[in-house]
Amino acid sequence: MTKQPGAGGHIRGQAPGVRERAALACRPQQPGPSPRPAETPAGSPLGDGPAGAEPQTDRLRYLDAATRRIARGMDLDETLDELCRAAVPAFADTAFVHLYAPLPVGDESGAAPGVLRLHTVDRAPPRNTARPRTDPPPGAHPSRAADTVRPAADGPLAALLREGRPVSGHTPGAAAAAAELLGTANAPVAGPPGRRLVIAPLHGRSHVLGSVVLVRGPGRPDFTGDDLLVASQLATHTALGLEKAMLYEREASIADALQRTMLPPSLPEPPGVRLASRYLPASRTAQVGGDWYDAIPLPGNRVALVIGDVMGHSMTSAAIMGQLRTSVQTLAGLDLPPDEVLHHLDEQAARLGSEHTATCLYAMYDPVQHRLLLSNAGHLPPVLLRPDGGVDVLEVPPGAPIGVGSGGFESVETHAPAGAALLLYTDGLVESRDSDVLTGVERLCARLRAAASEATPPALETLCDEALGTLGSGGRDDDIALLAARFEGLLPETVAYWYMAPRPQTAGQARRLTRRTLAQWGLDSLVETTELMVSEVVANAVRFASRPITLRLLCTDVLRCEVGDDSPVVPRMRHARLSDEGGRGLFLVDQLSRSWGATRVSTGKIVWFEQPLPGPPAGR
């Protein structure tokens, strides 16, 4: 079978002769692809012989086998391949399949496509295998078809396709339609095609999809009226199979798009940590899963690393995944400990009213203290690649999955040294039909050790590729989500931190500390504006705080100032009137800083602002 350039396909080679096929048909059936229906001897196509019940029985048996194999096709190419295997050589010597481009799908309305493209060509091997294969004599039967056909709206081909019934070549108008499909240069030159050619429209439920041209060569009888009924059944089942394949492909595309739009389009770039990710859908993309990952910046240059997996493979699993991911982002904004985040996520899953459960791992990294805080809801343990190349599987107590409602989550703390890398992953990476989870985790650790032995430390993108191994190109039963983080941390000399009592004199103290610190960092040009903003924010915190307030300055790619207190009241910027004595502090912060914000945390709130660093001094 040949598929034209641009459509993909293959050419079938020499097939066994009649006797060989008969012998094969008598052997016990072995597992594997189904063979073609055996070709019947010339002069008796499909049992067309003496009058009686046997010819009709043969046709019914043939149609039963042919329609069954056509229905097995799962995609467009498979369906057409099965059609050609059923039709050639048992029913015809040559088959040409033209399809509209683009193919109409479902109940879409609008003008029909105006172009037919040759998609598949199938030819039978020589009938006498003892003689060398030669080209058919001129005019015997067409050996090629037109690559592109543009049927005229009122022409014979368009009318034939709209009618939807197979016709033989001797039918009025069929010769002109055949000339369009086969091309003037390829059409038979020894008169009209007559009864040796059949055109069968591929008519779906709502649209015409294309046509099949079936041709018999010399030495075989003409097509009969009963053969037209056979061709009609072949074309009908093929059209239904094509519609099924197109709807399946569209569903797969929608499911894959839904899954990817629910994943983060890009990862943040917080100071002190580098991030990389991978997502690989399952080989059968219509069976979309619920794997997801996320990286969420938190106050104080911290970052939350999240990985999760909703049980099951369906559009519902993907929708539940999107809801859970949104809930995690909302809970992360409250700056709760990881175990409390999972506890509230479990409650939210119960309110969703779904029977789906999910696993989730939530990790919080602090680049200032080089600390990693983790909590687990039934997920696989993360893997930590140490700076010296060692690999540790972190032991995090696995609580019940999200949606079970039993709670019992715990947070554990571990040191995250600079240069270490953390890998969060879903079960598709380590579990397969021939490998259990424990074996898969051991193989993952071995791949990471091998990557660390070649380069220390390995690049983060390289680390992700090595973690995937051969899964990136092979077939997968489950989708895979992978999130990798390289911990760099912040140098102690780039962070300044103070506790101050909430007194009226605290604003002046904060200005002096800010001036001295910026002078040490060589940021004299920012002293005046930073002092003013720190004074305003600290003065506001003093008004509401009942416990010591915190002041922290961080110098990374920006200058960041954070003021924390124990009051949950978040300040809001307002426009003061000319007669007001206050209300202009946050307005000044908004005008002088590049960005600012206020975040509620478990101990109160943090008000922060950032300024861009000045350019390097001349000569440095």
Side-chain angles (χ1 to χ4, degrees):
M1 180 168 52
T2 305
K3 294 180 183 175
Q4 296 304 302
H10 58 277
I11 299 177
R12 188 168 52 255
Q14 184 77 18
V18 176
R19 294 180 179 178
E20 288 81 352
R21 281 191 294 273
L24 289 173
C26 295
R27 295 179 183 175
Q29 295 295 320
Q30 300 294 331
S34 302
R36 286 178 175 269
E39 179 186 355
T40 54
S44 181
L46 299 179
D48 188 12
E54 185 177 353
Q56 288 297 111
T57 303
D58 290 342
R59 284 191 175 86
L60 291 176
R61 288 175 180 171
Y62 167 75
L63 275 176
D64 179 67
T67 55
R68 283 175 181 271
R69 65 183 310 158
I70 291 173
R72 286 203 303 261
M74 291 302 296
D75 57 28
L76 187 143
D77 288 338
E78 257 185 54
T79 302
L80 293 181
D81 181 62
E82 295 297 346
L83 165 68
C84 291
R85 287 179 178 275
V88 179
F91 186 67
D93 291 318
T94 306
F96 302 108
V97 181
H98 289 81
L99 296 180
Y100 274 116
L103 278 170
V105 182
D107 297 328
E108 295 176 355
S109 59
V115 179
L116 284 166
R117 297 191 184 279
L118 182 62
H119 187 280
T120 307
V121 177
D122 196 8
R123 298 185 181 89
R127 306 187 66 81
N128 187 352
T129 56
R131 289 183 295 176
R133 184 170 183 173
T134 59
D135 293 332
H141 64 279
S143 59
R144 295 186 58 191
D147 294 332
T148 302
V149 181
R150 300 180 182 273
D154 54 351
L157 178 57
L160 188 153
L161 294 180
R162 286 194 300 268
E163 184 69 20
R165 291 181 298 181
V167 297
S168 61
H170 77 287
T171 305
E180 288 189 67
L181 290 171
L182 301 178
T184 305
N186 305 322
V189 296
R195 298 181 182 271
R196 311 189 67 79
L197 179 144
V198 167
I199 302 176
L202 295 173
H203 210 293
R205 295 179 178 89
S206 306
H207 305 281
V208 180
L209 307 179
S211 68
V212 179
V213 178
L214 301 170
V215 184
R216 284 181 179 173
R220 298 189 71 169
D222 296 345
F223 288 110
T224 65
D226 289 338
D227 291 332
L228 288 181
L229 297 177
V230 173
S232 176
Q233 289 294 313
L234 294 178
T236 298
H237 283 270
T238 300
L240 295 177
L242 293 178
E243 283 195 336
K244 177 189 70 175
M246 290 184 296
L247 290 174
Y248 182 88
E249 183 178 352
R250 185 172 70 169
E251 180 185 355
S253 176
I254 293 174
D256 187 62
L258 173 65
Q259 173 82 352
R260 292 187 181 277
T261 53
M262 289 184 178
L263 295 174
S266 61
L267 293 174
E269 298 180 1
V273 61
R274 295 291 178 266
L275 301 171
S277 64
R278 294 288 189 275
Y279 172 74
L280 299 178
S283 298
R284 297 182 65 187
T285 53
Q287 299 296 321
V288 64
D291 293 15
W292 92 90
Y293 62 87
D294 213 343
I296 308 168
L298 300 175
N301 288 94
R302 293 170 300 160
V303 61
L305 307 173
V306 190
I307 193 93
D309 185 4
V310 178
M311 300 297 102
H313 291 80
S314 65
M315 298 284 282
T316 304
S317 300
I320 294 295
M321 177 270 286
Q323 293 174 310
L324 293 180
R325 178 173 173 249
T326 302
S327 299
V328 170
Q329 290 179 326
T330 303
L331 294 169
L334 301 177
D335 197 28
L336 301 173
D339 58 319
E340 291 191 29
V341 170
L342 295 183
H343 173 74
H344 290 297
L345 184 64
D346 189 38
E347 292 182 338
Q348 180 64 22
R351 283 191 288 268
L352 291 176
S354 172
E355 297 180 355
H356 284 69
T357 59
T359 62
C360 184
L361 180 71
Y362 188 95
M364 184 187 299
Y365 172 65
D366 189 337
V368 177
Q369 300 181 5
H370 297 271
R371 183 183 68 164
L372 190 63
L373 200 61
L374 307 100
S375 187
N376 189 0
H379 201 77
L380 295 172
V383 175
L384 182 69
L385 178 62
R386 299 194 304 269
D388 60 1
V391 178
D392 295 329
V393 179
L394 300 182
E395 297 183 1
V396 184
I402 300 298
V404 174
S406 61
F409 307 111
E410 300 180 32
S411 292
V412 297
E413 182 178 338
T414 184
H415 181 58
L422 182 72
L423 265 73
L424 310 179
Y425 53 91
T426 56
D427 55 357
L429 180 66
V430 295
E431 187 178 20
S432 62
R433 295 178 181 177
D434 58 350
S435 174
D436 58 16
V437 172
L438 294 179
T439 304
V441 172
E442 292 176 357
R443 293 176 179 174
L444 172 62
C445 294
R447 292 196 295 267
L448 296 180
R449 291 191 192 96
S453 64
E454 297 178 0
T456 305
L460 204 56
E461 297 292 337
T462 303
L463 200 63
C464 290
D465 294 337
E466 291 296 330
L468 291 174
T470 58
L471 296 176
S473 56
R476 295 175 298 279
D477 298 327
D478 197 2
D479 45 349
I480 300 173
L482 173 66
L483 178 63
R486 169 69 48 73
F487 302 136
E488 297 178 349
L490 299 179
L491 298 176
E493 54 268 25
T494 63
V495 182
Y497 197 91
W498 302 276
Y499 287 93
M500 296 178 292
R503 301 178 300 176
Q505 300 85 354
T506 301
Q509 180 186 2
R511 287 196 299 270
R512 291 191 297 272
L513 294 173
T514 300
R515 185 186 312 115
R516 183 178 64 191
T517 303
L518 295 186
Q520 293 174 352
W521 289 346
L523 301 176
D524 297 318
S525 61
L526 298 179
V527 169
E528 184 177 352
T529 56
T530 307
E531 271 190 22
L532 177 58
M533 289 188 288
V534 166
S535 178
E536 293 293 341
V537 176
V538 170
N540 187 76
V542 168
R543 293 176 54 194
F544 297 97
S546 59
R547 296 180 181 180
I549 65 176
T550 60
L551 171 62
R552 183 160 76 164
L553 299 176
L554 299 98
C555 183
T556 55
D557 53 340
V558 295
L559 177 63
R560 181 182 177 97
C561 173
E562 299 175 351
V563 177
D565 62 75
D566 62 337
S567 172
V569 179
V570 175
R572 293 286 183 262
M573 185 177 66
R574 61 187 180 90
H575 296 280
R577 294 173 297 182
L578 294 177
S579 59
D580 292 340
E581 295 183 0
R584 297 178 178 85
L586 287 181
F587 179 77
L588 291 174
V589 174
D590 180 71
Q591 295 297 311
L592 297 176
S593 66
R594 187 179 72 174
S595 60
W596 72 278
T599 305
R600 284 192 178 94
V601 295
S602 56
T603 57
K605 69 174 180 294
I606 292 177
V607 180
W608 57 269
F609 60 84
E610 293 179 350
Q611 297 180 87
L613 298 179
R620 179 176 297 180

